[in-house]
Amino acid sequence: MSQALAEKRKSKSVEATLNYNIRTGEKPVNETGGNDGLMRTWNGTLDSRRVTIRDSRDESELFCLDTNGFELVQHPTAMKSFLDAEELKAIYYPEMERLIAERSGASRVFVFDHTLRTGDEDARKTLKIREPVKVVHNDYTEWSGPQRVRDFFPNQAEDLLSRRFAIIQTWRAINRPIARDPLAIADARSIDEADFIPAERRFPDRVGEIYQFEFNPAHRWHYFSQMQRDEALVFKVYDSARDGRSRWSMHSSFDDPTSPPDAGPRESIEIRAFAFFD
């Protein structure tokens, strides 16, 4: 690589802090509760690390769901208001099911959950939506991935679990371009299973499990600057296949040092879906 090209590539990276976890021997517990369901507590120990996060917007075509664990796609939506729960289920859920089927090759996709997030504290309280998560994590584990299938399809679960399935998420801006608190995601090939820390995830009506992570300097982090409403980041959080393709992702929101001082708060939505394969 020429020095000029190396400098150009270097200029597209930022140095930022990501919050990992320290392995203590005690299983971390994340709990969500309170009257509005938004209060969160956590008993883990953060390990804040300065890392390089590459702005890969100009290289988005290089990433593949089964190789890197994520990809960025152009995907206009017919949604008018992401705050309308009925519109989400009537329009956005089917849009995401079609997108995930197209990108993954799944024969059946079922959206089972979504989360709206904003960086505006007043809006969170008024609209009862969540904040950006600034801890490195993956939403499912070897146990909780299959358990979610059992939760939603108790009568079909054993048949569905006898074949390959994945949990795939999509993430996008719901209003203005993302100029603050963007999402960093690590190349799946840079994640070692020794980095995983299972953490209990407690909700008022159930107990789940996520992975948090120890710091590893081998992790290769990416983000896509100024993500637009007509773009979607598609990424895996679980894949039952053990044939060499990516199985997990690792992601976190972060404070982008290049964000303008007057940048508006991040407003985003993430969709969680089962992808079943023949």
Side-chain angles (χ1 to χ4, degrees):
M1 180 185 298
S2 70
Q3 183 175 354
L5 181 56
E7 287 302 314
K8 182 179 180 182
R9 290 177 62 87
K10 183 178 179 181
S11 70
K12 290 182 175 292
S13 298
V14 298
E15 298 293 320
T17 297
L18 293 182
N19 294 309
Y20 287 86
N21 200 353
I22 294 176
R23 194 185 304 273
T24 65
E26 179 183 359
K27 189 174 186 178
V29 175
N30 298 263
E31 186 164 7
T32 299
N35 294 332
D36 56 7
L38 299 179
M39 184 184 73
R40 296 186 66 167
T41 59
W42 179 61
N43 71 342
T45 304
L46 290 181
D47 181 16
S48 299
R49 299 281 186 151
R50 295 290 289 179
V51 301
T52 299
I53 307 175
R54 176 156 178 76
D55 180 359
S56 297
R57 169 157 294 285
D58 294 339
E59 305 168 327
S60 59
E61 73 282 355
L62 300 179
F63 299 97
C64 171
L65 197 60
D66 277 345
T67 301
N68 310 94
F70 65 91
E71 53 188 68
L72 182 72
V73 298
Q74 289 292 318
H75 189 268
T77 174
M79 287 292 295
K80 293 182 173 60
S81 172
F82 281 94
L83 300 178
D84 185 326
E86 294 304 314
E87 187 183 0
L88 277 172
K89 291 183 179 179
I91 296 177
Y92 197 58
Y93 278 27
E95 285 183 344
M96 293 301 96
E97 289 173 350
R98 291 191 293 269
L99 173 63
I100 290 170
E102 174 190 324
R103 306 311 300 186
S104 68
S107 56
R108 176 187 175 191
V109 177
F110 176 78
V111 170
F112 64 88
D113 190 19
H114 75 271
T115 301
L116 291 159
R117 299 188 189 276
T118 178
D120 186 305
E121 184 175 357
D122 291 336
R124 286 201 298 271
K125 292 178 180 177
T126 301
L127 300 173
K128 293 182 171 51
I129 58 180
R130 299 191 183 282
E131 76 286 358
V133 177
K134 295 183 179 179
V135 177
V136 176
H137 68 286
N138 181 73
D139 292 46
Y140 294 94
T141 68
E142 289 282 17
W143 172 79
S144 64
Q147 182 58 42
R148 284 314 262 159
V149 175
R150 295 186 177 98
D151 291 342
F152 281 91
F153 301 105
N155 297 325
Q156 305 173 51
E158 296 317 306
D159 178 57
L160 293 170
L161 294 175
S162 70
R163 298 183 297 277
R164 181 190 169 208
F165 86 97
I167 301 178
I168 298 175
Q169 301 188 179
T170 68
W171 188 90
R172 81 162 71 217
I174 65 172
N175 191 1
R176 62 177 70 87
I178 303 292
R180 180 178 292 175
D181 300 331
L183 190 69
I185 190 161
D187 190 321
R189 297 171 299 178
S190 71
I191 306 171
D192 192 293
E193 289 193 7
D195 305 331
F196 293 17
I197 301 175
E200 195 168 284
R201 188 79 171 88
R202 295 179 185 171
F203 301 90
D205 58 343
R206 67 181 183 89
V207 175
E209 189 177 63
I210 64 173
Y211 282 133
Q212 295 177 331
F213 293 86
E214 284 188 303
F215 172 72
N216 183 334
H219 295 157
R220 298 194 300 275
W221 287 99
H222 301 266
Y223 82 114
F224 300 97
S225 60
Q226 294 289 320
M227 274 189 63
Q228 312 288 309
R229 194 178 188 270
D230 61 357
E231 297 177 311
L233 181 65
V234 184
F235 59 99
K236 287 186 189 180
V237 290
Y238 178 89
D239 195 327
S240 65
R242 298 172 182 270
D243 56 3
R245 72 185 78 212
S246 68
R247 299 190 64 213
W248 318 98
S249 66
M250 182 173 68
H251 53 277
S252 174
S253 177
F254 71 99
D255 292 323
D256 184 352
T258 68
S259 293
D262 59 350
R266 185 186 101 184
E267 298 172 314
S268 62
I269 185 170
E270 59 214 56
I271 284 284
R272 300 177 184 88
F274 298 122
F276 298 108
F277 300 82
D278 292 333

